Each structure stands twice: as structure tokens, then as C-alpha cells.
Amino acid sequence: MCVTLHPLSSFSIRMQKAFLLLFLFLFPSSNVSTRTATPEKKVATSVPAPQKMDGEQLFEDMQLGGVVNFLAFRQAVAGYNLIKQKSKSILTLIDFTKPSTEKRLFVFDMEQKKMLYSSVVSHGKNSGENYATSFSNEVGSYKSSLGFYLTGNTYQAETDTPFIGRAGKGINDRARERAIVVHGAAYANPSVCKSGRLGRSFGCPALPQALTKPIINTIKGGSVLFIYANNKEYMAKSSILPNQTSQELFTEACESEQTVSVHL
């Protein structure tokens, strides 16, 4: 079943595809307010109130060492714990510190404490070649945006692309205008990596065609998705990085990358 949404008249898609809408959960800085933000006390959630999950313990329980970037996972779990609006216990992490030729999208079942999927995923064509190194919130940038999202429902269309919901100020609050969705694409198939990199999108996280349906069916409907990069600017704007300054987190990430490279 597909849900019809308001189309963007300025953008069309000729091929029939199933899209997963990404609704960004608003995480304003302490000195930023917005009239569209819903007070937390008024927001209901269908997810039972679970105990707060510890990123380090989950990393060990899921046996993710050597597969998933620990710092990216820890930040993803921190955001997952804080987002009360989620309606299912699924967490998706896209780690843009990895090259497009490697699996860098991971889907986790947080209740069962296991990884469900891992896959290559495309980044925006202007974010970089094999690595995504530049990010933007601007319409027409054709770059990927970082941060946390809540997924919506699927949308199928021949000529239209859907609106996207509310977003975080200055980070990816123009995702709606940019029509950022999760979708499948031939240029995101692993065989394309033979050219030296995966194909690139206009800013959307594009999946291999064989995994599009199972991944979208798993993450649709109010799950958390986090797009990560070791990006100091994002860390400075994010309000979900408790107990450490953006500089401390950035330095820690750099040191971790150096440690990993030594052990390879």
C-alpha cells in the first residue's frame, strides 16, 4: 500500500520507484527555538519505555567489532535513546567515514540486539568521489546531509517526488525542499564499484536494488536513521552529544581512526 503525499512540482522522477520518506526529528541547540517543534510532554510514542541502552555494551553484545565504527555507533545509540517520537525499535546508521565501495549502511534491531542488514549506500554527487567529505543543507547542492531522521511511510510514484517533514535548523532542515528519500537505484548496485566507486545520487541515500524492498520495509514507519561523518561542524551544532565538547569528540574520532589504521 502506498501513501500519496504532496508532490514537488519542480522535481520529477521518470522511473517508477518506491521511496521511503525521511522525517527529521528536530534537535535544536539550546539557544535556538522553533515554533514547529512539539513539546516533548505532548508527544506520545507507541514504543514501550525501554531501559536506556548503552552504546558500548550494545556494541559488544552485537559483536560489531571490525565491522561497524564504534564512535559512529555510539553517537547513533545516543540519539536513538533521546528521540521519544520513534515508533519502532529499529536504528539505521550510515557511516560516511567509510568509502562507497564498502558496506556503510547498517540496520539494527535494538530490542533483539542484532544487526539485520549491512549494505553499500550512495552519497550525493557533490559530496565527493569514493568518500563523502563535503555536506550541505542547500537546495541544488546535490550533497548529502548529516544528522538524525525519523522515517515515514513508503511512497510510490511515476512522476512525483514527496515532501519531507520537519528538520533540524541549519543541519538538514531543507530536506523537505530537497526531496531527500531512501530509494533503490542501479547505480547503487555493488557491481558498479568495479569502476572505483559506487554511483552517486542527488543527495539521497540510494540502496542496491536487491536490498531496497527488505530494508525499506524494515525501517519505514517511524524508526531512527543517523547519517554520520567525522565532521566538526555537525558536532558543534548537534545537541545530542552529551558530556563532551565538539572538539573533544572530533579529536577522539581522529584518534580512533588512527588507531584503526595501525591495526589494519
Side-chain angles (χ1 to χ4, degrees):
M1 180 179 295
C2 301
V3 178
T4 302
L5 300 176
H6 301 288
L8 292 177
S9 59
S10 61
F11 188 85
S12 65
I13 296 178
R14 299 182 182 277
M15 298 180 62
Q16 184 172 356
K17 298 177 181 177
F19 293 101
L20 176 70
L21 309 187
L22 297 179
F23 288 86
L24 178 73
F25 177 73
L26 180 60
F27 278 118
S29 300
S30 58
N31 61 344
V32 177
S33 63
T34 175
R35 290 178 294 177
T36 60
T38 304
E40 183 175 329
K41 64 181 180 180
K42 295 182 181 180
V43 177
T45 176
S46 60
V47 173
Q51 293 183 343
K52 189 172 182 179
M53 298 182 179
D54 177 75
E56 185 171 355
Q57 186 61 53
L58 278 172
F59 193 82
E60 294 179 1
D61 291 344
M62 294 186 188
Q63 299 181 344
L64 301 178
V67 178
V68 178
N69 179 340
F70 169 68
L71 292 175
F73 181 78
R74 187 176 67 178
Q75 289 188 28
V77 172
Y80 175 90
N81 285 331
L82 289 172
I83 298 174
K84 307 303 181 184
Q85 286 84 345
K86 61 182 179 289
S87 57
K88 60 197 308 184
S89 58
I90 297 295
L91 171 64
T92 302
L93 167 64
I94 296 176
D95 180 6
F96 279 153
T97 65
K98 294 178 177 286
S100 68
T101 50
E102 293 183 12
K103 292 180 179 180
R104 54 183 182 172
L105 178 144
F106 308 95
V107 181
F108 307 101
D109 185 322
M110 302 298 278
E111 284 188 353
Q112 298 299 319
K113 298 183 179 180
K114 64 180 181 180
M115 183 167 66
L116 303 177
Y117 297 100
S118 61
S119 173
V120 295
V121 64
S122 292
H123 56 255
K125 62 184 294 185
N126 288 339
S127 281
E129 293 291 329
N130 194 23
Y131 285 87
T133 57
S134 180
F135 308 95
S136 177
N137 188 35
E138 296 302 315
V139 175
S141 67
Y142 297 153
K143 294 183 179 183
S144 298
S145 295
L146 303 176
F148 284 88
Y149 299 80
L150 282 178
T151 61
N153 292 316
T154 55
Y155 174 79
Q156 195 164 342
E158 292 182 353
T159 58
D160 299 322
T161 188
F163 280 142
I164 306 302
R166 292 178 301 159
K169 185 175 180 61
I171 297 173
N172 45 19
D173 56 336
R174 305 191 75 177
R176 184 185 185 95
E177 299 173 66
R178 299 180 62 207
I180 300 301
V181 297
V182 173
H183 64 86
Y187 60 76
N189 290 336
S191 59
V192 178
C193 293
K194 294 177 182 178
S195 66
R197 62 167 171 77
L198 201 64
R200 297 168 298 172
S201 69
F202 285 171
C204 298
L207 297 170
Q209 291 169 307
L211 287 175
T212 301
K213 184 176 290 186
I215 288 180
I216 283 180
N217 284 339
T218 299
I219 71 177
K220 68 181 180 181
S223 72
V224 176
L225 184 150
F226 178 48
I227 302 180
Y228 170 85
N230 183 18
N231 184 275
K232 188 176 180 180
E233 182 180 358
Y234 169 73
M235 291 175 180
K237 291 180 179 180
S238 175
S239 61
I240 67 162
L241 307 175
N243 303 323
Q244 285 182 290
T245 66
S246 61
Q247 180 60 50
E248 287 172 336
L249 282 162
F250 184 75
T251 301
E252 186 181 48
C254 291
E255 290 174 347
S256 175
E257 288 177 359
Q258 291 170 2
T259 301
V260 169
S261 64
V262 168
H263 290 288
L264 289 178

